[in-house]
Amino acid sequence: GAVVSQHPSWVICKSGTSVKIECRSLDFQATTMFWYRQFPKQSLMLMATSNEGSKATYEQGVEKDKFLINHASLTLSTLTVTSAHPEDSSFYICSANDRRGIETQYFGPGTRLLVL
Amino acid sequence: QKEVEQDPGPLSVPEGAIVSLNCTYSNSAFQYFMWYRQYSRKGPELLMYTYSSGNKEDGRFTAQVDKSSKYISLFIRDSQPSDSATYLCAMSAGTSGSRLTFGEGTQLTVNP
């Protein structure tokens, strides 16, 4: 149980385009979903926290107009990187908290984004 | 000073060795403690979860939490090459929507 999926697993796009990443909890309902960014050999950097039906809470320094988060249901959250630039190239990982389970997060497999 | 300190390594051990990974923390509000394993280019996988102080064992893995010392450990017995990964400690106070605070991660290599 507690499986989180992400789609796509990797994406290459041209500078200036927008990219949408989906995060789904497959066998549980998520109270909260989280979006992280990870650079090589570094730990996870929390970008934002989202609850179903409400606006996401962004961490300091994260541009909310650039990284749009939509939490449409208790099993789906999307991250859209708008007008992507090469510096947005990174590994993006989502996680979810099981509303009926233990106090922890279950992570998706990650999405590797390369902006040319 | 970081809320959670973890030696990034790298740590290299021979197959069959006992591995000890540790984290210290400063926030006494933390009550939930986790260890995640992350393989290269993959998302973190929950290995161990502990609430409050004590020990928890799961197969070759043992997690220990000492809240009085603000110190947590993960022991891996009979380590295998497949254990080669980065190990992240994480902790939560149980508020703020399950927000986790992570250590930097320790890179472990188990040599055959």
mmCIF file of all heavy atoms in Angstrom, chain A residues 52-87:
data_model
loop_
_atom_site.group_PDB
_atom_site.id
_atom_site.type_symbol
_atom_site.label_atom_id
_atom_site.label_comp_id
_atom_site.label_asym_id
_atom_site.label_seq_id
_atom_site.Cartn_x
_atom_site.Cartn_y
_atom_site.Cartn_z
ATOM 1 N N GLU A 52 -6.157 19.564 -0.714
ATOM 2 C CA GLU A 52 -7.220 19.468 -1.702
ATOM 3 C C GLU A 52 -8.210 20.613 -1.557
ATOM 4 O O GLU A 52 -8.694 20.892 -0.452
ATOM 5 C CB GLU A 52 -7.924 18.114 -1.567
ATOM 6 C CG GLU A 52 -9.043 17.895 -2.585
ATOM 7 C CD GLU A 52 -10.414 18.039 -1.990
ATOM 8 O OE1 GLU A 52 -10.539 18.073 -0.754
ATOM 9 O OE2 GLU A 52 -11.386 18.111 -2.757
ATOM 10 N N GLY A 53 -8.445 21.295 -2.669
ATOM 11 C CA GLY A 53 -9.445 22.347 -2.696
ATOM 12 C C GLY A 53 -8.988 23.687 -2.179
ATOM 13 O O GLY A 53 -9.770 24.635 -2.135
ATOM 14 N N SER A 54 -7.750 23.816 -1.780
ATOM 15 C CA SER A 54 -7.277 25.115 -1.309
ATOM 16 C C SER A 54 -5.974 25.488 -1.990
ATOM 17 O O SER A 54 -5.334 24.654 -2.629
ATOM 18 C CB SER A 54 -7.124 25.116 0.215
ATOM 19 O OG SER A 54 -6.291 24.078 0.624
ATOM 20 N N LYS A 55 -5.597 26.748 -1.839
ATOM 21 C CA LYS A 55 -4.381 27.229 -2.501
ATOM 22 C C LYS A 55 -3.146 26.617 -1.838
ATOM 23 O O LYS A 55 -3.113 26.382 -0.634
ATOM 24 C CB LYS A 55 -4.304 28.745 -2.410
ATOM 25 C CG LYS A 55 -5.314 29.462 -3.284
ATOM 26 C CD LYS A 55 -5.110 30.981 -3.222
ATOM 27 C CE LYS A 55 -6.097 31.691 -4.122
ATOM 28 N NZ LYS A 55 -5.910 33.164 -4.081
ATOM 29 N N ALA A 56 -2.133 26.417 -2.647
ATOM 30 C CA ALA A 56 -0.886 25.866 -2.123
ATOM 31 C C ALA A 56 -0.153 26.900 -1.278
ATOM 32 O O ALA A 56 -0.281 28.106 -1.480
ATOM 33 C CB ALA A 56 0.003 25.415 -3.278
ATOM 34 N N THR A 57 0.618 26.399 -0.329
ATOM 35 C CA THR A 57 1.488 27.246 0.485
ATOM 36 C C THR A 57 2.909 27.064 -0.019
ATOM 37 O O THR A 57 3.442 25.961 0.015
ATOM 38 C CB THR A 57 1.402 26.854 1.968
ATOM 39 O OG1 THR A 57 0.044 26.968 2.406
ATOM 40 C CG2 THR A 57 2.291 27.759 2.804
ATOM 41 N N TYR A 58 3.505 28.156 -0.491
ATOM 42 C CA TYR A 58 4.834 28.081 -1.080
ATOM 43 C C TYR A 58 5.904 28.428 -0.052
ATOM 44 O O TYR A 58 5.704 29.279 0.811
ATOM 45 C CB TYR A 58 4.935 29.041 -2.266
ATOM 46 C CG TYR A 58 4.105 28.602 -3.455
ATOM 47 C CD1 TYR A 58 2.737 28.861 -3.518
ATOM 48 C CD2 TYR A 58 4.689 27.911 -4.512
ATOM 49 C CE1 TYR A 58 1.972 28.437 -4.591
ATOM 50 C CE2 TYR A 58 3.937 27.497 -5.597
ATOM 51 C CZ TYR A 58 2.577 27.766 -5.628
ATOM 52 O OH TYR A 58 1.827 27.340 -6.694
ATOM 53 N N GLU A 59 7.044 27.777 -0.194
ATOM 54 C CA GLU A 59 8.179 28.093 0.669
ATOM 55 C C GLU A 59 8.801 29.417 0.224
ATOM 56 O O GLU A 59 8.665 29.849 -0.937
ATOM 57 C CB GLU A 59 9.212 26.978 0.606
ATOM 58 C CG GLU A 59 8.709 25.659 1.165
ATOM 59 C CD GLU A 59 8.330 25.775 2.631
ATOM 60 O OE1 GLU A 59 9.216 26.107 3.451
ATOM 61 O OE2 GLU A 59 7.158 25.507 2.962
ATOM 62 N N GLN A 60 9.500 30.023 1.149
ATOM 63 C CA GLN A 60 10.150 31.298 0.844
ATOM 64 C C GLN A 60 11.119 31.127 -0.313
ATOM 65 O O GLN A 60 11.910 30.174 -0.347
ATOM 66 C CB GLN A 60 10.899 31.788 2.085
ATOM 67 C CG GLN A 60 11.392 33.210 1.987
ATOM 68 C CD GLN A 60 11.971 33.705 3.307
ATOM 69 O OE1 GLN A 60 12.129 32.945 4.257
ATOM 70 N NE2 GLN A 60 12.286 34.979 3.368
ATOM 71 N N GLY A 61 11.036 32.044 -1.264
ATOM 72 C CA GLY A 61 11.940 32.008 -2.404
ATOM 73 C C GLY A 61 11.419 31.231 -3.594
ATOM 74 O O GLY A 61 12.041 31.248 -4.659
ATOM 75 N N VAL A 62 10.298 30.566 -3.452
ATOM 76 C CA VAL A 62 9.701 29.815 -4.565
ATOM 77 C C VAL A 62 8.637 30.677 -5.215
ATOM 78 O O VAL A 62 7.703 31.142 -4.553
ATOM 79 C CB VAL A 62 9.080 28.496 -4.077
ATOM 80 C CG1 VAL A 62 8.408 27.757 -5.239
ATOM 81 C CG2 VAL A 62 10.133 27.616 -3.421
ATOM 82 N N GLU A 63 8.771 30.905 -6.511
ATOM 83 C CA GLU A 63 7.844 31.784 -7.232
ATOM 84 C C GLU A 63 6.528 31.063 -7.512
ATOM 85 O O GLU A 63 6.494 30.123 -8.328
ATOM 86 C CB GLU A 63 8.471 32.227 -8.547
ATOM 87 C CG GLU A 63 9.762 33.011 -8.420
ATOM 88 C CD GLU A 63 10.352 33.306 -9.787
ATOM 89 O OE1 GLU A 63 9.669 33.985 -10.585
ATOM 90 O OE2 GLU A 63 11.472 32.860 -10.072
ATOM 91 N N LYS A 64 5.462 31.510 -6.904
ATOM 92 C CA LYS A 64 4.183 30.834 -7.084
ATOM 93 C C LYS A 64 3.620 31.004 -8.487
ATOM 94 O O LYS A 64 2.849 30.163 -8.955
ATOM 95 C CB LYS A 64 3.170 31.308 -6.049
ATOM 96 C CG LYS A 64 2.841 32.768 -6.123
ATOM 97 C CD LYS A 64 1.823 33.122 -5.034
ATOM 98 C CE LYS A 64 1.447 34.589 -5.083
ATOM 99 N NZ LYS A 64 0.479 34.953 -4.027
ATOM 100 N N ASP A 65 3.987 32.086 -9.182
ATOM 101 C CA ASP A 65 3.487 32.278 -10.548
ATOM 102 C C ASP A 65 4.254 31.436 -11.550
ATOM 103 O O ASP A 65 3.806 31.228 -12.674
ATOM 104 C CB ASP A 65 3.583 33.751 -10.939
ATOM 105 C CG ASP A 65 2.657 34.618 -10.112
ATOM 106 O OD1 ASP A 65 1.596 34.109 -9.685
ATOM 107 O OD2 ASP A 65 2.996 35.784 -9.863
ATOM 108 N N LYS A 66 5.412 30.972 -11.146
ATOM 109 C CA LYS A 66 6.215 30.141 -12.036
ATOM 110 C C LYS A 66 5.900 28.657 -11.812
ATOM 111 O O LYS A 66 5.874 27.880 -12.756
ATOM 112 C CB LYS A 66 7.692 30.381 -11.785
ATOM 113 C CG LYS A 66 8.579 29.541 -12.689
ATOM 114 C CD LYS A 66 9.988 30.058 -12.720
ATOM 115 C CE LYS A 66 10.764 29.351 -13.793
ATOM 116 N NZ LYS A 66 10.235 29.570 -15.141
ATOM 117 N N PHE A 67 5.696 28.297 -10.588
ATOM 118 C CA PHE A 67 5.406 26.903 -10.235
ATOM 119 C C PHE A 67 3.953 26.832 -9.748
ATOM 120 O O PHE A 67 3.661 27.004 -8.573
ATOM 121 C CB PHE A 67 6.362 26.408 -9.167
ATOM 122 C CG PHE A 67 7.809 26.417 -9.579
ATOM 123 C CD1 PHE A 67 8.650 27.445 -9.187
ATOM 124 C CD2 PHE A 67 8.324 25.409 -10.380
ATOM 125 C CE1 PHE A 67 9.988 27.464 -9.569
ATOM 126 C CE2 PHE A 67 9.658 25.416 -10.768
ATOM 127 C CZ PHE A 67 10.486 26.449 -10.364
ATOM 128 N N LEU A 68 3.061 26.556 -10.688
ATOM 129 C CA LEU A 68 1.633 26.522 -10.381
ATOM 130 C C LEU A 68 1.235 25.147 -9.875
ATOM 131 O O LEU A 68 1.520 24.140 -10.513
ATOM 132 C CB LEU A 68 0.817 26.859 -11.639
ATOM 133 C CG LEU A 68 1.067 28.227 -12.275
ATOM 134 C CD1 LEU A 68 0.203 28.398 -13.524
ATOM 135 C CD2 LEU A 68 0.776 29.344 -11.279
ATOM 136 N N ILE A 69 0.567 25.125 -8.746
ATOM 137 C CA ILE A 69 0.141 23.860 -8.162
ATOM 138 C C ILE A 69 -1.374 23.830 -8.078
ATOM 139 O O ILE A 69 -2.005 24.761 -7.585
ATOM 140 C CB ILE A 69 0.766 23.663 -6.767
ATOM 141 C CG1 ILE A 69 2.271 23.473 -6.911
ATOM 142 C CG2 ILE A 69 0.136 22.465 -6.050
ATOM 143 C CD1 ILE A 69 3.021 23.473 -5.607
ATOM 144 N N ASN A 70 -1.942 22.728 -8.577
ATOM 145 C CA ASN A 70 -3.379 22.509 -8.523
ATOM 146 C C ASN A 70 -3.641 21.181 -7.837
ATOM 147 O O ASN A 70 -3.168 20.141 -8.283
ATOM 148 C CB ASN A 70 -3.977 22.504 -9.935
ATOM 149 C CG ASN A 70 -5.482 22.325 -9.905
ATOM 150 O OD1 ASN A 70 -6.129 22.615 -8.903
ATOM 151 N ND2 ASN A 70 -6.048 21.839 -10.985
ATOM 152 N N HIS A 71 -4.375 21.221 -6.750
ATOM 153 C CA HIS A 71 -4.686 19.992 -6.009
ATOM 154 C C HIS A 71 -6.169 19.694 -6.232
ATOM 155 O O HIS A 71 -7.016 20.096 -5.441
ATOM 156 C CB HIS A 71 -4.375 20.216 -4.531
ATOM 157 C CG HIS A 71 -4.265 18.955 -3.747
ATOM 158 N ND1 HIS A 71 -3.397 18.827 -2.694
ATOM 159 C CD2 HIS A 71 -4.903 17.783 -3.854
ATOM 160 C CE1 HIS A 71 -3.512 17.620 -2.174
ATOM 161 N NE2 HIS A 71 -4.416 16.968 -2.867
ATOM 162 N N ALA A 72 -6.453 18.993 -7.328
ATOM 163 C CA ALA A 72 -7.828 18.848 -7.806
ATOM 164 C C ALA A 72 -8.670 17.900 -6.956
ATOM 165 O O ALA A 72 -9.887 18.050 -6.860
ATOM 166 C CB ALA A 72 -7.815 18.374 -9.252
ATOM 167 N N SER A 73 -8.045 16.896 -6.375
ATOM 168 C CA SER A 73 -8.799 15.909 -5.604
ATOM 169 C C SER A 73 -7.894 15.323 -4.527
ATOM 170 O O SER A 73 -6.725 15.692 -4.427
ATOM 171 C CB SER A 73 -9.293 14.784 -6.517
ATOM 172 O OG SER A 73 -8.208 13.958 -6.915
ATOM 173 N N LEU A 74 -8.441 14.414 -3.729
ATOM 174 C CA LEU A 74 -7.659 13.807 -2.662
ATOM 175 C C LEU A 74 -6.621 12.817 -3.179
ATOM 176 O O LEU A 74 -5.846 12.261 -2.397
ATOM 177 C CB LEU A 74 -8.583 13.093 -1.661
ATOM 178 C CG LEU A 74 -9.341 14.018 -0.713
ATOM 179 C CD1 LEU A 74 -10.387 13.244 0.074
ATOM 180 C CD2 LEU A 74 -8.382 14.722 0.244
ATOM 181 N N THR A 75 -6.595 12.596 -4.491
ATOM 182 C CA THR A 75 -5.611 11.666 -5.054
ATOM 183 C C THR A 75 -4.774 12.274 -6.172
ATOM 184 O O THR A 75 -3.935 11.586 -6.752
ATOM 185 C CB THR A 75 -6.318 10.400 -5.600
ATOM 186 O OG1 THR A 75 -7.238 10.792 -6.630
ATOM 187 C CG2 THR A 75 -7.049 9.646 -4.493
ATOM 188 N N LEU A 76 -4.961 13.537 -6.474
ATOM 189 C CA LEU A 76 -4.244 14.128 -7.607
ATOM 190 C C LEU A 76 -3.792 15.545 -7.319
ATOM 191 O O LEU A 76 -4.574 16.395 -6.904
ATOM 192 C CB LEU A 76 -5.139 14.132 -8.852
ATOM 193 C CG LEU A 76 -4.601 14.885 -10.081
ATOM 194 C CD1 LEU A 76 -3.327 14.218 -10.599
ATOM 195 C CD2 LEU A 76 -5.657 14.960 -11.174
ATOM 196 N N SER A 77 -2.510 15.793 -7.566
ATOM 197 C CA SER A 77 -1.966 17.142 -7.532
ATOM 198 C C SER A 77 -1.100 17.324 -8.768
ATOM 199 O O SER A 77 -0.466 16.371 -9.231
ATOM 200 C CB SER A 77 -1.132 17.352 -6.267
ATOM 201 O OG SER A 77 -0.535 18.645 -6.262
ATOM 202 N N THR A 78 -1.100 18.528 -9.329
ATOM 203 C CA THR A 78 -0.261 18.794 -10.490
ATOM 204 C C THR A 78 0.632 19.998 -10.222
ATOM 205 O O THR A 78 0.235 20.943 -9.535
ATOM 206 C CB THR A 78 -1.097 19.059 -11.762
ATOM 207 O OG1 THR A 78 -1.934 20.201 -11.539
ATOM 208 C CG2 THR A 78 -1.939 17.857 -12.119
ATOM 209 N N LEU A 79 1.829 19.925 -10.784
ATOM 210 C CA LEU A 79 2.789 21.027 -10.747
ATOM 211 C C LEU A 79 3.049 21.436 -12.177
ATOM 212 O O LEU A 79 3.437 20.603 -13.003
ATOM 213 C CB LEU A 79 4.092 20.579 -10.078
ATOM 214 C CG LEU A 79 5.295 21.519 -10.212
ATOM 215 C CD1 LEU A 79 5.064 22.808 -9.415
ATOM 216 C CD2 LEU A 79 6.576 20.846 -9.733
ATOM 217 N N THR A 80 2.819 22.700 -12.488
ATOM 218 C CA THR A 80 3.115 23.217 -13.810
ATOM 219 C C THR A 80 4.261 24.207 -13.711
ATOM 220 O O THR A 80 4.162 25.201 -12.982
ATOM 221 C CB THR A 80 1.881 23.910 -14.430
ATOM 222 O OG1 THR A 80 0.806 22.969 -14.517
ATOM 223 C CG2 THR A 80 2.206 24.416 -15.831
ATOM 224 N N VAL A 81 5.317 23.914 -14.436
ATOM 225 C CA VAL A 81 6.452 24.839 -14.528
ATOM 226 C C VAL A 81 6.188 25.721 -15.740
ATOM 227 O O VAL A 81 6.210 25.238 -16.888
ATOM 228 C CB VAL A 81 7.784 24.085 -14.682
ATOM 229 C CG1 VAL A 81 8.950 25.061 -14.694
ATOM 230 C CG2 VAL A 81 7.951 23.056 -13.559
ATOM 231 N N THR A 82 5.893 26.983 -15.505
ATOM 232 C CA THR A 82 5.527 27.878 -16.597
ATOM 233 C C THR A 82 6.761 28.579 -17.151
ATOM 234 O O THR A 82 7.700 28.898 -16.412
ATOM 235 C CB THR A 82 4.515 28.935 -16.130
ATOM 236 O OG1 THR A 82 5.131 29.734 -15.116
ATOM 237 C CG2 THR A 82 3.266 28.282 -15.563
ATOM 238 N N SER A 83 6.764 28.778 -18.475
ATOM 239 C CA SER A 83 7.865 29.460 -19.150
ATOM 240 C C SER A 83 9.208 28.939 -18.625
ATOM 241 O O SER A 83 10.008 29.699 -18.054
ATOM 242 C CB SER A 83 7.756 30.975 -18.940
ATOM 243 O OG SER A 83 8.736 31.650 -19.705
ATOM 244 N N ALA A 84 9.399 27.655 -18.807
ATOM 245 C CA ALA A 84 10.584 27.003 -18.248
ATOM 246 C C ALA A 84 11.876 27.530 -18.863
ATOM 247 O O ALA A 84 11.927 27.854 -20.058
ATOM 248 C CB ALA A 84 10.479 25.496 -18.459
ATOM 249 N N HIS A 85 12.899 27.615 -18.033
ATOM 250 C CA HIS A 85 14.229 28.021 -18.475
ATOM 251 C C HIS A 85 15.245 26.979 -18.041
ATOM 252 O O HIS A 85 14.955 26.152 -17.155
ATOM 253 C CB HIS A 85 14.565 29.397 -17.906
ATOM 254 C CG HIS A 85 13.810 30.506 -18.544
ATOM 255 N ND1 HIS A 85 12.618 30.975 -18.031
ATOM 256 C CD2 HIS A 85 14.031 31.216 -19.674
ATOM 257 C CE1 HIS A 85 12.154 31.937 -18.813
ATOM 258 N NE2 HIS A 85 12.989 32.100 -19.814
ATOM 259 N N PRO A 86 16.423 26.984 -18.643
ATOM 260 C CA PRO A 86 17.416 25.956 -18.297
ATOM 261 C C PRO A 86 17.683 25.823 -16.798
ATOM 262 O O PRO A 86 17.922 24.717 -16.312
ATOM 263 C CB PRO A 86 18.657 26.420 -19.065
ATOM 264 C CG PRO A 86 18.111 27.096 -20.279
ATOM 265 C CD PRO A 86 16.874 27.813 -19.786
ATOM 266 N N GLU A 87 17.616 26.920 -16.063
ATOM 267 C CA GLU A 87 17.866 26.835 -14.616
ATOM 268 C C GLU A 87 16.763 26.105 -13.862
ATOM 269 O O GLU A 87 16.928 25.777 -12.664
ATOM 270 C CB GLU A 87 18.068 28.236 -14.016
ATOM 271 C CG GLU A 87 16.910 29.179 -14.212
ATOM 272 C CD GLU A 87 17.069 30.068 -15.437
ATOM 273 O OE1 GLU A 87 17.727 29.631 -16.401
ATOM 274 O OE2 GLU A 87 16.532 31.187 -15.425
#
